[in-house]
Amino acid sequence: MPRPWALALPLLLPWVAGGSGDAASAKDRGLSTSTPQPGLCRYGTKLACCYGWRRNSRGGCEALCEPGCKFGECVGPNKCRCFPGYTGKTCSQDVNECGLKPRPCQHRCVNTHGSYKCFCLSSHVLMPDATCANSRTCAMTSCQYSCEDTEEGPRCLCPSSGLRLAPNGRVCTDIDECASGKAVCPYNRRCVNTFGSYYCKCHVGFELKYVRGRYDCVDINECAGNTHPCSLYANCLNTQGSFKCKCKQGYRGNGLQCSDLNISVDCSFEHGVCDWKQDIEDDFDWNPADRDNAVGYYMAVPALAGRKKDIGRLKLLLPDLQPQSNFCLLFDYRLAGDKVGKLRVFVKSSNNALAWEETRSKDERWKTGKIQLEQGISTTKSIIFEAEHGRGKAGEIAVDGVFLVSGLCPDRLLSVNG
């Protein structure tokens, strides 16, 4: 009959030694009897960490708690011992000591994160044992929370560093740590002010999750979750904290709304088939700029580029247009900023003709321009977008979403940038 200790059943070690004989028996089996080792089990003739425990870097066994003990320590498999002032399975809940019976404070109690503070009514002072004693110096002072006696006389107190005394010296008003810059939040969280304090919250487009042993703000994939407002005729591209929409090939719009147009030639900058050239005889070049709410980029001239009256030209070469055909040139544009300059469009066939001009804009929103191209004996060879620098020091002149549509220009249009 085998001995009980040799059976393949897990037995927690160590056990309390009953005498020298037990200690000698344990020593003969190669076990240390000097220091207890919690979480150690015997499996047949082998010793290993019990279920719910793992081997640490020091060679001992430590308990596992999932998803962790936020304000406490793990003392057993999925068993947390909370620090004072916290409760819950993962020690993530604050204990409202002010709601306990008997109450910890004689007069007023203010719950804080993981603790509490006691305050006394007017004409009383807080004693070391949390009781309130009468005070002749504060008897005539009506403080909102508490009062203390100083050499200068009674002084009202606020219960939190996030509060300050109002001009009347008796009422406490809130300090907006978020607006004042006193708040300290991680880079991927935003500050939310509360009365007397603040807390850090994930930015819009992020959610708080437990990742790799800690809580962190993780991007919400609106495209995968199908929570985006993109058009059925648009592609959704997830970005950090947001998303972008772009109309599919053959459609036009801002990605939220896409309309089907009879597009003959796509001359957009990132995927178009047209030949764009920078004029080498002008004063400055057009530069690509990222769109705000869509995929890709547009061409722009910043207000800081060049001096007043300087000219920058962007040429669209059209060598294959069919004669005796009508086309509509559609393009989005905006003039953002005070006195930023002018935008002109020239149509070159046998000569350069000014077909369109915009000198100022009431707002900085994108608008759609259209030019009817009527092909006669001489066809249109190129389109020239010309930006003239103004006196303004901020803003830009921009062009985007250039298309050639067969036939006459449509009446109602939707800008690529909305």
Side-chain angles (χ1 to χ4, degrees):
M1 179 175 180
R3 296 182 182 178
W5 58 268
L7 294 177
L9 296 175
L11 299 176
L12 288 176
L13 291 182
W15 50 87
V16 178
S20 59
D22 293 337
S25 177
K27 184 175 182 181
D28 292 340
R29 292 192 296 268
L31 303 178
S32 173
T33 60
S34 59
T35 304
Q37 299 184 41
L40 189 64
C41 286
R42 177 181 296 282
Y43 296 90
T45 60
K46 295 183 179 180
L47 294 178
C49 291
C50 301
Y51 178 78
W53 299 71
R54 66 179 176 186
R55 186 79 62 182
N56 58 28
S57 59
R58 299 185 299 275
C61 295
E62 63 180 16
L64 292 174
C65 292
E66 293 293 342
C69 303
K70 191 171 184 180
F71 296 104
E73 58 182 347
C74 186
V75 296
N78 291 329
K79 183 178 180 181
C80 296
R81 179 189 294 147
C82 299
F83 298 142
Y86 297 94
T87 186
K89 185 176 181 180
T90 59
C91 299
S92 59
Q93 302 174 17
D94 173 59
V95 175
N96 184 2
E97 293 86 354
C98 299
L100 300 177
K101 292 184 180 181
R103 295 188 60 195
C105 302
Q106 183 178 359
H107 285 179
R108 288 182 175 175
C109 179
V110 176
N111 185 56
T112 61
H113 200 56
S115 185
Y116 67 95
K117 290 184 179 180
C118 294
F119 296 91
C120 297
L121 298 174
S122 298
S123 74
H124 293 77
V125 292
L126 186 65
M127 305 302 291
D129 61 353
T131 60
C132 295
N134 290 328
S135 172
R136 296 178 181 178
T137 55
C138 287
M140 302 302 294
T141 305
S142 179
C143 296
Q144 182 182 10
Y145 287 100
S146 181
C147 176
E148 72 171 355
D149 187 25
T150 65
E151 293 181 358
E152 293 79 15
R155 183 178 66 181
C156 294
L157 300 176
C158 294
S160 169
S161 60
L163 300 174
R164 61 187 170 193
L165 286 175
N168 62 13
R170 294 182 291 107
V171 178
C172 294
T173 59
D174 177 57
I175 298 174
D176 191 338
E177 294 87 353
C178 302
S180 64
K182 295 181 179 180
V184 179
C185 288
Y187 74 96
N188 56 354
R189 302 190 189 187
R190 57 190 173 95
C191 176
V192 179
N193 186 62
T194 61
F195 184 76
S197 186
Y198 70 95
Y199 66 94
C200 300
K201 185 177 181 180
C202 292
H203 288 289
V204 177
F206 293 84
E207 60 182 346
L208 188 64
K209 285 189 175 181
Y210 189 79
V211 181
R212 298 187 182 95
R214 66 187 182 94
Y215 287 93
D216 199 3
C217 293
V218 180
D219 172 58
I220 300 174
N221 191 332
E222 295 86 354
C223 300
N226 201 28
T227 58
H228 59 83
C230 296
S231 168
L232 293 175
Y233 306 104
N235 294 319
C236 177
L237 175 65
N238 185 61
T239 61
Q240 281 295 308
S242 185
F243 62 94
K244 294 180 179 181
C245 305
K246 179 177 176 60
C247 293
K248 296 178 181 179
Q249 190 72 24
Y251 292 85
R252 176 184 172 86
N254 60 4
L256 304 179
Q257 298 179 19
C258 300
S259 57
D260 185 9
L261 294 176
N262 186 19
I263 298 176
S264 297
V265 183
D266 181 358
C267 296
S268 57
F269 298 109
E270 66 272 17
H271 298 300
V273 297
C274 297
D275 190 8
W276 291 93
K277 297 291 184 182
Q278 299 273 8
D279 194 334
I280 61 175
E281 298 180 355
D282 56 5
D283 301 307
F284 54 81
D285 287 341
W286 290 66
N287 296 307
D290 292 330
R291 294 181 184 143
D292 293 332
N293 68 335
V295 182
Y297 64 91
Y298 60 92
M299 298 298 287
V301 176
L304 296 177
R307 296 168 296 180
K308 183 181 177 182
K309 298 295 184 180
D310 281 356
I311 299 295
R313 300 185 184 93
L314 187 63
K315 294 183 179 181
L316 169 60
L317 305 182
L318 302 171
D320 300 324
L321 286 187
Q322 299 296 324
Q324 306 298 331
S325 299
N326 290 328
F327 293 93
C328 178
L329 176 68
L330 301 176
F331 60 94
D332 292 335
Y333 71 94
R334 73 170 176 178
L335 282 77
D338 183 41
K339 299 177 182 178
V340 68
K342 301 179 181 179
L343 176 63
R344 305 184 185 95
V345 181
F346 293 89
V347 177
K348 182 177 181 180
S349 52
S350 58
N351 58 354
N352 285 355
L354 178 62
W356 184 93
E357 181 178 17
E358 183 74 36
T359 57
R360 73 163 89 183
S361 179
K362 295 181 180 180
D363 54 54
E364 299 183 356
R365 292 182 300 176
W366 287 86
K367 299 178 178 64
T368 299
K370 53 185 178 180
I371 300 174
Q372 190 67 50
L373 304 178
E374 297 180 355
Q375 307 301 311
I377 298 176
S378 58
T379 60
T380 302
K381 301 299 183 183
S382 64
I383 305 294
I384 302 173
F385 290 87
E386 180 182 275
E388 179 181 327
H389 195 278
R391 290 183 295 174
K393 299 299 182 182
E396 67 177 4
I397 300 174
V399 173
D400 193 13
V402 182
F403 296 93
L404 281 176
V405 180
S406 299
L408 300 178
C409 291
D411 294 330
R412 299 182 64 184
L413 296 169
L414 184 64
S415 165
V416 166
N417 286 273

